[in-house]
Amino acid sequence: MAAKYDEAYVSHTPSPSSPKRVDWAGLGWLLLFFWYFSGVTQALLLFSGTTGFAGFRDAFFLSSLWLAPVLLLPRFTRATAAVIGLVLWAASLVGLSYFGIYRQEFSQSVIFVMFESNTAEAGEYFSQYFSAWLGLALLLYTLVAVLLWKRVRPVSLPLRSRLPVVALLLLANLVYPFYKQMVTQERSFADAAEKVQQRMEPAVPWQLLVGYRQYRQQLDNMQELLAQNAALPPLQNLRDNSGAAPRTLVLVLGESTTREHMHLYGYNRDTTPNLDALAASDKSLTVFSNVVSPRPYTIEVMQQILTFGNEQNPDRFLTDPSLINLMKQAGYKTFWITNQQTMTKRNTMLTTFSQQTDAPVYLNNQRNQNASQYDDVVLTPFEKALQDPAPNKFIIVHLLGTHMDYRYRYPNDYAHFNDRQGAPGKLTDDQVQTYNFYDNAVRYNDYVVSSLIKRYSASTANGFLLYLSDHGEDVYSSGNHDRLGRNEGAPTRPMYTIPFLLWTSPSWQAEHPRDLQAMADRPYSSSHLIHTLSDLAGLSYDRYEPAKSLVSPQFVVAPRWIGDPYRKDGLREFDDLPLDKAGREQETVSSGKTQNAGRLN
């Protein structure tokens, strides 16, 4: 064996008298061997349509780092490659197995769910999903790795070239990305380091190491917020005026869905066939036509709609009980079913809210948002929550909705819009494609929301289901049709105009009669949602303000503030935003549609 190794080394090492040239084939085999352990999973994610190209690209470049030790010590190439390969192989089995079972990318969210599960649950998942086919696939994967290792051979460079090449690998993969984040992107040292770590995540073993570090960091932040919340005093003089009958109340939170792309609100494309049919045939559904969100960002909105926080008092989410605290104090068993990412820096606040509930369910463990993750996964746990024996239940369902990248928000059979028909005429081909992606996502969201309403109705639960989106999205919808996404610094109406739908069960409406259709056109900000939900649930307490309830006889029209409350002069009234011709036409149609629905009901 030693003789063969020496022969291989000599045969690929130029003699002092021979011209020095690089063994490019040998270098290629080395890179392929190291890339294999990250690249296979990333290739599966890419070609299955689960994620985009970024993870595949980053895994390739990060894998080149492992060339450094074998280039520095060419005589020990195969032994070094074997040790590194063994570590990479063991680490890669986790992500590869996870993809084989769930068709998702392993992430810190998975680590969170793993630690939230007990041993019995983990064993149940393993026995349910691990199959002989997966075992055979992992065995084949391992055999290919061994075959690649057998092709590995030393690549010798002159000593004066080795150090510059190794330095270049480190510079390209670690130093330059860090410099780019700090200087070009003007980020702080900590933020730049975090971005570089995120770039390393697609490659093993950083996938596990970085994921675990981020999990611990976000867990500590979450525990601190939970401790602050647990120390808050309860609401004073809480009274439940809804009677003694068992009840189930549901709050469905959407994502990035503007009502200006919903046919239900007068949009020209058929994006909401299911909700249209419900609104026409079911008098229990009320379509509120004039509700806006206070901010165009999920976390900042949730800190207001799930608490007593608002644009004038944004920090009350830290000092006052949350909606979940309120419902638990009122005797409800609380549920949180989410298809949002679980454990990321941005979503720590969402996970904190979910951990306040009695029964959180996490369904999205993707590493990034640009991954195929469809909202129909919430339907089964929703039905399970409806069947829970607790007499009083409060269920929150948090959807991924129409969050960018829109093409990942719906399955292929919902690719309904594929041409320019109904799109603004001045859009380029690429913009039309994005426009269609969004409308397809809205159409799929229509299916999910209507399915939740139908399942709730079929359960004969006593109560109501309320659906709203956290904020809107401008998808070439306003002005010159050149805006995409959300920008609080340059606000447009589609960024804030949201759907707001209320379905009440016949038993609940009979016991708590009110003319909801007469209230459907009231101008309202979702920042006061806790007061509307309290009113609907029949709850009153010292901090309850009926003037801020959309469905109260004491409702008072108030300015709808939008903007950044932490910035000087950062607030403005939504109604002061310019209303272009297209917007005026849509508002007129929307208002007429709501009035017609009221007459039908």
Side-chain angles (χ1 to χ4, degrees), residues 189-228:
F189 181 89
D191 288 343
E194 182 179 352
K195 288 294 182 182
V196 172
Q197 289 175 22
Q198 290 176 357
R199 181 177 174 270
M200 297 173 69
E201 273 193 275
V204 293
W206 316 117
Q207 186 180 59
L208 297 178
L209 299 176
V210 174
Y212 182 76
R213 178 188 174 280
Q214 291 177 338
Y215 155 73
R216 289 302 313 177
Q217 183 179 19
Q218 305 316 323
L219 183 65
D220 291 342
N221 294 339
M222 184 187 71
Q223 295 294 354
E224 182 178 350
L225 290 170
L226 286 172
Q228 292 178 17

Side-chain angles (χ1 to χ4, degrees), residues 504-540:
T504 51
S505 71
S507 58
W508 187 267
Q509 181 65 17
E511 290 296 322
H512 310 87
R514 60 176 102 196
D515 187 3
L516 294 170
Q517 297 296 337
M519 309 170 183
D521 294 329
R522 287 176 170 179
Y524 189 68
S525 170
S526 62
S527 63
H528 304 310
L529 181 68
I530 194 169
H531 299 284
T532 296
L533 276 168
S534 297
D535 191 357
L536 287 168
L539 300 175
S540 61

Side-chain angles (χ1 to χ4, degrees), residues 138-179:
L138 294 179
L139 178 60
L140 178 62
Y141 168 79
T142 303
L143 290 174
V144 173
V146 173
L147 292 175
L148 287 175
W149 177 77
K150 288 182 176 294
R151 302 302 300 265
V152 165
R153 61 182 185 241
V155 175
S156 181
L157 296 175
L159 185 59
R160 64 178 179 274
S161 302
R162 294 180 197 172
L163 293 179
V165 169
V166 170
L168 183 62
L169 289 172
L170 295 173
L171 182 68
N173 284 288
L174 300 177
V175 179
Y176 175 71
F178 185 81
Y179 169 83

Side-chain angles (χ1 to χ4, degrees), residues 123-144:
E124 180 181 340
Y125 289 143
F126 184 83
S127 61
Q128 181 176 355
Y129 291 110
F130 192 88
S131 63
W133 284 109
L134 180 58
L136 289 173
L138 294 179
L139 178 60
L140 178 62
Y141 168 79
T142 303
L143 290 174
V144 173

